[in-house]
Amino acid sequence: MESRVLSRAATSLPHLRRLPRRESAANASFVPAVKAIGSVADGGNLIWGRQLRPELLSPVLKKEGPAVLLRPCLAAASSPAEGSDSAGEAKVGFFDKYPALVTGFFFFMWYFLNVIFNILNKKIYNYFPYPYFVSVIHLFVGVVYCLVSWTVGLPKRAPMDSNLLKLLIPVAVCHALGHVTSNVSFAAVAVSFTHTIKALEPFFNAAASQFILGQSIPITLWLSLAPVVIGVSMASLTELSFNWTGFISAMISNISFTYRSIYSKKAMTDMDSTNIYAYISIIALIVCIPPAVILEGPALMKHGFNDAIAKVGLVKFVSDLFWVGMFYHLYNQVATNTLERVAPLTHAVGNVLKRVFVIGFSIIVFGNKISTQTGIGTCIAIAGVALYSFIKARMEEEKRKTTGLSDLQSSLVD
């Protein structure tokens, strides 16, 4: 086979010549067709593609002869199927070769960053109880990170127009409100209790879908939410760190994130998730600054900063604020990247396990004492969230399969 290729190439090369400008234009439509018939490694493209035409009369060709043109063909002939491992290794990267390992690493980083953020965040509140200002720091560090990333082109900044801005503003406002009220709850009560209350978020999502969006929620989903409500109620009744500020703030956070989900569906766009989150963070930062200045500004200027510096020192105070902001932004970004790699069911299970990790580690690190009823209620609530997430993810997968099948049938009919 190789001898035939060599002989044909040797006999045909002397007749190759540069196409005239008129003839080249006439045959422009022929070149892509030839490219489409190339071999696996597209070796034929290298010979017949336009990028090598100037070399046909180059000094290298006159000196070395036909061999210089045959190199791409020989490289193409040795495809991975014929025993060339180097070609396969060049084509298959690490992410494609070990997808399960990479996905597992994303999950690990998601959990790790989330746990570290919650622990460091609570430690800051123990000596600096100003959740509005800390919320601004979270977003500010993330925005600086995004601006630096855009500057170096990782990722490239997507353009923003007025229509997209109008769609993202409600999402960002809800994101800001939910973020601030979550931090108010974190500062007021134990981290484990806040996350137990936030386990009610699926209940608010279902209620909003039923009564605001007009979507029909199956009875099985409503029944799966009963353990969540019961478990949160049990945990709240005997929570040692309970206070109404922490409880109400966590509930407002649930409602805010529910509306964020509703507005996010209306703001569907082709922009990548990294750029969207960056723009949302910028708008949310602008929203969070005024209440922080109004509600906490006077106290911060009078004694807040001085008290924190006196307790832990200036260097630790500034470094804690910087790192808690970095962990907040990175865990949200890694969470987005993780969820893009897995199916809805895996996402749902992973989200439940993340909450379990956060609650467990916060109890261990801070030594929070919980009553037996609170522990049982928390377990019931988490189990209810897992059941709800499982049922909803299965329904979404079935809906997507049905939609995909109907689209395929309609395309076949067309």
Side-chain angles (χ1 to χ4, degrees), residues 107-121:
F107 269 99
F108 169 78
M109 291 303 298
W110 178 21
Y111 291 3
F112 173 76
L113 293 171
N114 195 287
V115 169
I116 296 300
F117 162 75
N118 280 276
I119 291 175
L120 181 57
N121 203 44

Side-chain angles (χ1 to χ4, degrees), residues 189-201:
V189 297
V191 174
S192 57
F193 182 55
T194 298
H195 278 279
T196 302
I197 301 173
K198 286 175 71 66
L200 280 172
E201 190 173 330

Side-chain angles (χ1 to χ4, degrees), residues 83-96:
S84 175
D85 295 333
S86 60
E89 292 175 358
K91 275 181 166 292
V92 180
F94 181 83
F95 288 87
D96 297 325

Side-chain angles (χ1 to χ4, degrees), residues 361-384:
F361 274 99
S362 65
I363 292 175
I364 295 173
V365 171
F366 295 107
N368 297 332
K369 294 181 179 180
I370 60 173
S371 64
T372 303
Q373 182 174 328
T374 298
I376 295 174
T378 301
C379 293
I380 293 175
I382 295 299

Side-chain angles (χ1 to χ4, degrees), residues 330-345:
L330 291 177
Y331 103 72
N332 277 286
Q333 191 59 64
V334 172
T336 303
N337 297 336
T338 303
L339 304 184
E340 289 178 344
R341 296 181 59 87
V342 297
L345 180 57

Side-chain angles (χ1 to χ4, degrees), residues 59-385:
V60 178
L61 177 60
K62 294 178 181 179
K63 182 177 179 180
E64 298 188 11
V68 69
L69 285 179
L70 289 175
R71 287 172 190 163
C73 277
L74 294 176
S78 59
S79 63
E82 294 175 0
S84 175
D85 295 333
S86 60
E89 292 175 358
K91 275 181 166 292
V92 180
F94 181 83
F95 288 87
D96 297 325
K97 195 173 183 179
Y98 304 102
L101 185 62
V102 174
T103 301
F105 174 76
F106 271 91
F107 269 99
F108 169 78
M109 291 303 298
W110 178 21
Y111 291 3
F112 173 76
L113 293 171
N114 195 287
V115 169
I116 296 300
F117 162 75
N118 280 276
I119 291 175
L120 181 57
N121 203 44
K122 185 61 178 179
K123 285 185 175 181
I124 291 174
Y125 288 136
N126 287 339
Y127 69 83
F128 188 68
Y130 296 93
Y132 288 89
F133 177 79
V134 175
S135 299
V136 170
I137 294 298
H138 292 165
L139 295 169
F140 176 76
V141 174
V143 168
V144 173
Y145 178 89
C146 294
L147 294 177
V148 172
S149 300
W150 279 342
T151 302
V152 299
L154 295 172
K156 185 178 180 181
R157 187 182 70 85
M160 170 67 68
D161 55 38
S162 58
N163 293 328
L164 181 57
L165 182 62
K166 292 177 182 178
L167 294 175
L168 289 182
I169 285 178
V171 179
V173 171
C174 293
H175 178 73
L177 181 59
H179 178 56
V180 170
T181 50
S182 292
N183 279 282
V184 172
S185 180
F186 284 137
V189 297
V191 174
S192 57
F193 182 55
T194 298
H195 278 279
T196 302
I197 301 173
K198 286 175 71 66
L200 280 172
E201 190 173 330
F203 174 81
F204 288 96
N205 285 332
S209 299
Q210 178 83 50
F211 302 111
I212 298 178
L213 298 180
Q215 299 175 356
S216 178
I217 302 298
I219 188 64
T220 52
L221 273 183
W222 284 114
L223 292 176
S224 68
L225 289 169
V228 181
V229 178
I230 294 173
V232 171
S233 301
M234 289 179 59
S236 301
L237 289 174
T238 56
E239 171 60 36
L240 301 179
S241 67
F242 179 88
N243 65 58
W244 284 107
T245 300
F247 179 81
I248 294 175
S249 297
M251 295 294 283
I252 294 175
S253 174
N254 285 334
I255 298 173
S256 301
F257 287 135
T258 297
Y259 275 95
R260 183 186 65 176
S261 300
I262 293 174
Y263 287 119
S264 296
K265 293 178 181 179
K266 297 179 180 179
M268 295 296 290
T269 176
D270 293 333
M271 188 184 297
D272 62 282
S273 59
T274 302
N275 274 289
I276 287 181
Y277 184 68
Y279 283 120
I280 288 176
S281 297
I282 293 173
I283 301 171
L285 174 62
I286 297 173
V287 173
C288 288
I289 289 176
V293 172
I294 295 171
L295 298 177
E296 295 179 344
L300 285 171
M301 298 304 296
K302 186 176 181 180
H303 56 78
F305 291 123
N306 293 331
D307 291 348
I309 295 172
K311 291 178 182 177
V312 298
L314 178 61
V315 175
K316 179 173 173 54
F317 178 53
V318 174
S319 63
D320 282 352
L321 292 178
F322 170 77
W323 284 113
V324 78
M326 282 297 296
F327 284 126
Y328 171 76
H329 181 82
L330 291 177
Y331 103 72
N332 277 286
Q333 191 59 64
V334 172
T336 303
N337 297 336
T338 303
L339 304 184
E340 289 178 344
R341 296 181 59 87
V342 297
L345 180 57
T346 308
H347 162 208
V349 175
N351 208 24
V352 173
L353 290 178
K354 179 212 71 175
R355 202 173 294 279
V356 173
F357 269 82
V358 172
I359 292 174
F361 274 99
S362 65
I363 292 175
I364 295 173
V365 171
F366 295 107
N368 297 332
K369 294 181 179 180
I370 60 173
S371 64
T372 303
Q373 182 174 328
T374 298
I376 295 174
T378 301
C379 293
I380 293 175
I382 295 299
V385 173

